[in-house]
Amino acid sequence: MTTPPISSAPSAPASAIHDIGYRHYEGRRLGRAYVLRSLYVHNLRAVFGLGRPARAKVMPFMLAAIMMLPAAGSVAVLAITKEPETLIPYANYAIIMQPVVAIFLATQAPVVASRELRFHVVPLYFSRPVGSFDFVLAKFAAFVTALFALLATPVTLLYIGALVTRPSKEADAPQLPSIGSQTLDFLPGLAGCALFALVLAAFALVVAAFTPRRGFGVAAVIAVYLLSTATVGIVQAIAEETSNYGVAGWAGLFAPFTLVDGVQVSLLGTESPTIGGPPAGAGGPVFCLVCAAVIAGSLAVLYGRFRKGGLS
């Protein structure tokens, strides 16, 4: 009688399932709207460095303070002199302060557009019930809100200062515009701030999204701003010298600040502080269409960029 061979391999232990106390979530599902709102608030806080180290708050709040200084000075001079010309026109404030606005765009757009791409965490966002366009829309809305706050706050200060510094009796300062005329000037200025926020945010986010490293993103946004502004300024100056006013007007299409200023002039009836303006006739509609195309095209480019990042 032969004995079966004895296996040297140890026998596998029996499998067991252990209950470690986890329970299924049985609460209310908040859904897509809550995700979008959370992304919007998160990105808006990130622009101003809220919830981040102190060094992240220095630049945005310092630039916001610098934006307020000319408005406060203009109101102070108006209060002393009672001369309406000393008040900075509401619609011109963004153009006058465009270097400060450009620095804000360059330093804060990479915070919104490139951090997730740099650390390759976009697929984690898309694992939740949020799509590529929702992700882009939340970021775009947050940056537009931050930029609108940067522009509209000093303009609102100008308006409040103009009302507060008025004497109680109209006869004491008849040269000052009435409250109604101040309001009619302020509302187009506020609408202009919204236009600037939409176009400038779209332009800066696209540039920053293709430069994941923050230092390169800052340099790229500044470079695009300087090149476009300087080139358009030179072309407009030469065209003005040669009395070619049509070329000076059309050149404004190729720089973000002059593009929006042209829309303000044609759509809101404001006065432009720049050399050129939209040419009469077709100029106004063309400037408006280009402005809308820049916003829509930027959203499409951002959608493609983050969709590709979500697949990597």
Side-chain angles (χ1 to χ4, degrees):
M1 180 177 178
T2 60
T3 58
I6 300 173
S7 176
S8 60
S11 59
S15 299
I17 298 175
H18 300 281
D19 182 4
I20 56 177
Y22 288 117
R23 293 185 302 172
H24 291 290
Y25 178 73
E26 298 176 354
R28 184 168 61 93
R29 300 288 178 178
L30 298 175
R32 175 186 173 194
Y34 181 80
V35 174
L36 280 172
R37 186 165 64 251
S38 298
L39 282 172
Y40 168 79
V41 173
H42 168 72
N43 284 283
L44 183 58
R45 285 170 56 85
V47 173
F48 292 104
L50 302 177
R52 300 175 63 202
R55 64 179 180 274
K57 302 177 179 66
V58 172
M59 185 61 72
F61 282 99
M62 182 180 68
L63 293 174
I66 294 173
M67 285 290 292
M68 297 293 290
L69 290 177
S74 180
V75 170
V77 173
L78 176 65
I80 296 170
T81 63
K82 303 298 181 184
E83 294 292 335
E85 293 80 10
T86 60
L87 191 71
I88 300 174
Y90 304 121
N92 295 349
Y93 200 85
I95 296 290
I96 294 170
M97 299 298 292
Q98 60 177 297
V100 181
V101 178
I103 295 173
F104 183 87
L105 291 171
T107 55
Q108 303 312 116
V111 174
V112 176
S114 64
R115 285 194 304 165
E116 290 88 355
L117 293 170
R118 181 166 70 251
F119 296 113
H120 303 286
V121 296
V122 177
L124 296 179
Y125 285 94
F126 294 166
S127 67
R128 310 305 300 166
V130 58
S132 305
F133 188 71
D134 296 334
F135 187 72
V136 168
L137 200 59
K139 284 183 169 294
F140 180 68
F143 199 52
V144 168
T145 303
L147 195 55
F148 178 75
L150 183 79
L151 296 171
T153 303
V155 171
T156 305
L157 176 63
L158 288 172
Y159 174 66
I160 294 174
L163 298 185
V164 171
T165 56
R166 287 188 59 82
S168 56
K169 296 181 180 179
E170 294 285 340
D172 294 339
Q175 74 277 14
L176 291 178
S178 64
I179 295 176
S181 62
Q182 286 284 2
T183 303
L184 290 177
D185 289 339
F186 168 67
L187 292 178
L190 208 60
C193 291
L195 284 172
F196 274 108
L198 287 166
V199 174
L200 296 178
F203 141 79
L205 288 176
V206 167
V207 176
F210 285 91
T211 49
R213 296 186 67 86
R214 184 175 181 182
F216 292 154
V218 172
V221 174
I222 285 290
V224 171
Y225 160 73
L226 288 177
L227 288 174
S228 62
T229 302
T231 303
V232 168
I234 292 170
V235 170
Q236 288 182 333
I238 294 173
E240 286 282 327
E241 286 293 327
T242 57
S243 300
N244 199 337
Y245 301 108
V247 173
W250 290 117
L253 288 169
F254 301 98
F257 282 93
T258 52
L259 170 63
V260 180
D261 186 57
V263 176
Q264 284 190 127
V265 172
S266 60
L267 195 64
L268 304 176
T270 62
E271 293 184 5
S272 174
T274 60
I275 296 176
V286 170
F287 269 69
C288 293
L289 286 174
V290 171
C291 206
V294 166
I295 297 170
S298 298
L299 287 174
V301 171
L302 288 170
Y303 169 76
R305 180 73 176 105
F306 282 104
R307 186 172 182 273
K308 181 179 179 182
L311 297 175
S312 61

